[in-house]
Amino acid sequence: MKIKNICCIGAGYVGGPTMAVIAKQCPNIKVTVVDINQARIDAWNSDDFNKLPIFEPGLAEIVKEARGKNLFFSTNIDKTIDEADMIFISVNTPTKTYGKGKGMAADLKYIELCARQIAKASKQNKIVVEKSTLPVRTASAIKSILDNTGNGVQFQILSNPEFLAEGTAVQDLLDPDRILIGGGSSEKDQKAVDALADIYANWVPKDKILTTNVWSSELSKLTANAFLAQRVSSINAMSEICEKTGADVREVSKAIGMDSRIGSKFLNASVGFGGSCFQKDILNLVYIAKSYGLNEVADYWEQVILMNEHQKNRFSDNMVSTLYNTVSGKKITFLGWAFKKDTNDTRESAAIKVADNLLNEQAKISVYDPKVSEERIYTDLDYLNTRSSDENKSLLTINKDPYDACKDSHAITILTEWDEFKSYDWKSIYKNMQKPAFVFDGRGLLNKKELEEIGFVYYNIGTGN
Ligand code: UDX
Ligand code: ADP
């Protein structure tokens, strides 16, 4: 079976880049990304390629190349579903904010709405691919909705989790470590698996395309994210011991990373991991474990989240105690708001929690981030509901120029590892700050020796001072 027409439901951080790359690599397949959010679709269709809703290095170039040829963005969901042979579900699966499983389980209402819409709009057989990260066994719920509410057409359900990381999405999609496809064992299911594998085979070596049963595929995605987050919490736990003992966490990371069994990646101590996946997926895993009565398993994974919360809180606590136990009325500059560099995404960013803690201490915060919008920053803070929107606006200001953001500040804190921060004129920043001038580097980004020579009091996460 050759796929000629793909529909992707959800034009977000996963759907958008993934489909742009499929369209680029498969010029003979028509790819249409649909979303209920008109503003998001308009932004994807914008003539100004700087205004795409998602910033990812290399993405604008790919959209420019493929859009209007075989890549389309639309809000005409039913028609696009009906015309497609293969439908990717790439909608959001946030943590539930109500009812049973509140604060832990994945909220599957968007997935269910999507399944119902596919069932209603489909007049021919379709392959439905789960791209969103989902609890294990969601495919059976989707199949049940499709089979019971559809127009009598046949659906094959596949799981094809996406492992791209934000900031490197295009590179990850063009050269993935592996492609995982989970499918059933019937002949029809296997044909569907082959059809999806053939799409990827246009640019991914065959030995990197792994096929498993559906449940293994769903669970592998949660497992990968849990292991990655666990590594960050593990090194962050060591960063606190380093600070107390005079060891340097970067030296420890290097030393352990050279053990080929451990490996060198994902060992950067930081102010805490963020992003839309790690916390959500671990909470989901914890919920699944609890629902099977596996309490020890649940507690084990929950600790990864607790450690991450602790890291964010101890970072802001350390700022307050170093700044003579009071930040009230003091200007503190945040360099970075995104959860990591090279993305405009701020979901679960450590900066939000650190800001909230410091605002509780009546600090005056000034933020500069090269890619995050002013509106996004205030929305992130208001969402916490700690204080009124007016109070947030009066206590926190946003600067378009980093040097203005740093002027007259008592302390600068690095919350995102944007490369440009390294090349700033730190001498001139120092000159225009209150003295003593502090830098709290939550990413280990800057050069301690250089900053100390200029006169800064420099605090680096994971280094005894
Ligand atoms: C993650 C997974 O890497 C990806 O495979 C999955 O598809 C989605 O979730 P993402 O959240 O985009 O991707 O970014 P990632 O690079 O994993 O970073 C997550 C967070 O961990 C960031 O806040 C990052 O700054 C932090 N991190 C990462 C560290 O603090 N230290 C590290 O060594 C690595
Ligand atoms: P992710 O990071 O997983 O891509 P996002 O929140 O960035 O998540 O994107 C999910 C997208 O899915 C949003 O743009 C949202 O509007 C869209 N969406 C959610 N439900 C539906 C639906 N039933 N039909 C179409 N689009 C949907």
Side-chain angles (χ1 to χ4, degrees), residues 125-137:
N125 298 349
K126 313 264 176 219
I127 298 172
V128 175
V129 184
E130 298 175 345
K131 209 27 145 172
S132 311
T133 304
L134 296 168
V136 57
R137 298 200 79 85

Side-chain angles (χ1 to χ4, degrees), residues 162-167 221 225 228 232 235-236 265-278 339-340 417 443:
E162 184 46 62
F163 294 99
L164 69 80
E166 287 176 32
K221 171 67 190 187
N225 277 345
L228 290 168
V232 179
I235 200 68
N236 282 346
K265 292 182 183 161
F266 248 74
L267 286 177
N268 293 323
S270 70
V271 55
F273 62 73
S276 69
C277 292
F278 283 178
F339 82 96
K340 62 188 278 196
E417 72 282 23
R443 296 290 185 165

Side-chain angles (χ1 to χ4, degrees), residues 23-40:
K24 173 186 155 62
Q25 303 294 57
C26 310
N28 297 327
I29 301 180
K30 181 181 175 191
V31 180
T32 308
V33 189
V34 295
D35 203 292
I36 35 176
N37 183 336
Q38 181 73 53
R40 212 165 205 186

Side-chain angles (χ1 to χ4, degrees), residues 178-385:
R178 77 317 209 169
I179 295 290
L180 179 57
I181 303 175
S185 52
S186 74
E187 200 181 319
K188 277 195 182 124
D189 284 329
Q190 282 305 305
K191 278 198 175 139
V193 169
D194 291 345
L196 182 55
D198 282 349
I199 294 177
Y200 287 110
N202 281 301
W203 76 97
V204 180
K206 283 223 161 77
D207 59 355
K208 286 190 173 183
I209 303 176
L210 191 68
T211 56
T212 63
N213 79 34
V214 184
W215 321 130
S216 302
S217 170
E218 288 177 336
L219 189 59
S220 295
K221 171 67 190 187
L222 292 181
T223 309
N225 277 345
F227 270 58
L228 290 168
Q230 181 201 39
R231 263 174 95 88
V232 179
S233 274
S234 296
I235 200 68
N236 282 346
M238 299 322 290
S239 76
E240 191 169 10
I241 298 189
C242 287
E243 286 168 32
K244 297 286 180 222
T245 56
D248 181 333
V249 77
R250 271 148 290 276
E251 292 179 351
V252 173
S253 291
K254 188 163 182 201
I256 64 164
M258 285 173 78
D259 185 325
S260 59
R261 294 167 303 173
I262 296 176
S264 61
K265 292 182 183 161
F266 248 74
L267 286 177
N268 293 323
S270 70
V271 55
F273 62 73
S276 69
C277 292
F278 283 178
Q279 175 162 317
K280 177 185 71 138
D281 290 351
I282 292 183
L283 289 172
N284 187 356
L285 197 62
V286 169
Y287 183 74
I288 292 171
K290 280 192 175 152
S291 68
Y292 287 106
L294 309 176
N295 293 326
E296 290 77 7
V297 177
D299 291 348
Y300 177 77
W301 286 109
E302 192 166 20
Q303 200 57 37
V304 173
I305 302 285
L306 297 179
M307 188 62 225
N308 197 47
E309 286 308 299
H310 171 65
Q311 188 77 347
K312 294 184 262 186
N313 289 331
R314 84 176 182 86
F315 187 78
S316 53
D317 286 350
N318 176 52
M319 287 180 73
V320 176
S321 62
T322 308
L323 293 168
Y324 314 109
N325 285 317
T326 176
V327 290
S328 177
K330 288 182 181 168
K331 178 174 173 183
I332 296 182
T333 303
F334 275 42
L335 292 182
W337 190 267
F339 82 96
K340 62 188 278 196
K341 73 170 178 179
D342 291 339
T343 177
N344 60 350
D345 195 351
T346 65
R347 288 177 287 181
E348 305 297 340
S349 177
I352 303 169
K353 181 69 179 161
V354 173
D356 193 48
N357 289 347
L358 294 174
L359 293 178
N360 282 341
E361 295 292 331
Q362 302 181 337
K364 296 244 176 214
I365 296 179
S366 169
V367 183
Y368 167 77
D369 186 288
K371 289 290 174 201
V372 178
S373 71
E374 181 163 336
E375 189 194 357
R376 184 70 253 161
I377 293 173
Y378 285 126
T379 306
D380 288 339
L381 268 184
D382 292 349
Y383 185 76
L384 298 178
N385 246 327

